[in-house]
Amino acid sequence: MMADILNITGLGRLEIVETYVYYDQPVLFSCKSATGHLYLAVATDKNDERETWLYVGVSAKRLNFIRSGAIDLHDAFAEPEDGFLLQEIIPYDNQTQPRLESIQPDQISEDMLPVPGECLDLEIEILPILSDAEEIAKSRNQEIL
């Protein structure tokens, strides 16, 4: 039985951006909400009664670092930018509603996280992000000269 991993109470309908691991369904993927928030999602536990998923909010910059392997998958979840993750428990019985809760990284057991050192290794170009108007102005001035 496959849960609806893209319709999450509290986050709304999510759209998959990229699937990194697929096994009968996406099990590691990036997705975005209708408002443009990016998440990295991983299936952490599955049994006869329920599926458990972790979602971590990521900036576009951090997602690029994860995609390139500069940040491993373990740390992507264990050290979230926002300081918390979302855990969704999806029961298979149709009477019980899925439960989404905000959790701290230290509330996750290690066996629910990707193995330390496990990385994506997508060939992508990571562009430096200029952080403020002064840096942008400097770069424009250098291009003009």
Side-chain angles (χ1 to χ4, degrees):
M1 175 178 237
M2 187 169 117
D4 188 356
I5 56 175
L6 295 176
N7 194 11
I8 300 172
T9 304
L11 294 180
R13 189 94 186 133
L14 299 175
E15 175 186 337
I16 290 182
V17 175
E18 289 181 308
T19 300
Y20 309 115
V21 178
Y22 188 94
Y23 185 76
D24 293 332
Q25 68 177 352
V27 293
L28 176 65
F29 58 91
S30 58
C31 54
K32 69 177 179 176
S33 68
T35 56
H37 292 99
L38 291 169
Y39 298 91
L40 186 64
V42 66
T44 61
D45 187 34
K46 183 176 184 176
N47 59 34
D48 292 339
E49 298 172 10
R50 69 179 183 280
E51 287 182 24
T52 304
W53 290 82
L54 289 178
Y55 294 84
V56 63
V58 292
S59 64
K61 180 179 180 180
R62 184 168 172 100
L63 182 57
N64 274 332
F65 283 128
I66 294 164
R67 292 175 71 237
S68 72
I71 296 174
D72 76 13
L73 293 168
H74 177 274
D75 290 350
F77 290 95
E79 300 171 11
E81 283 176 293
D82 291 334
F84 68 93
L85 301 101
L86 299 168
Q87 177 177 266
E88 183 184 35
I89 297 171
I90 305 170
Y92 290 139
D93 73 24
N94 292 326
Q95 287 83 33
T96 310
Q97 290 295 312
R99 188 173 79 234
L100 182 71
E101 56 189 5
S102 175
I103 59 173
Q104 298 301 310
D106 60 6
Q107 293 177 277
I108 305 167
S109 64
E110 277 295 315
D111 63 345
M112 291 181 73
L113 296 172
V115 177
E118 185 178 348
C119 295
L120 296 175
D121 187 15
L122 305 177
E123 290 187 20
I124 62 164
E125 184 177 338
I126 298 177
L127 300 175
I129 296 177
L130 300 176
S131 59
D132 64 303
E134 186 177 317
E135 286 182 77
I136 294 169
K138 282 181 189 175
S139 72
R140 286 192 180 144
N141 288 338
Q142 289 173 350
E143 291 170 10
I144 294 169
L145 298 175

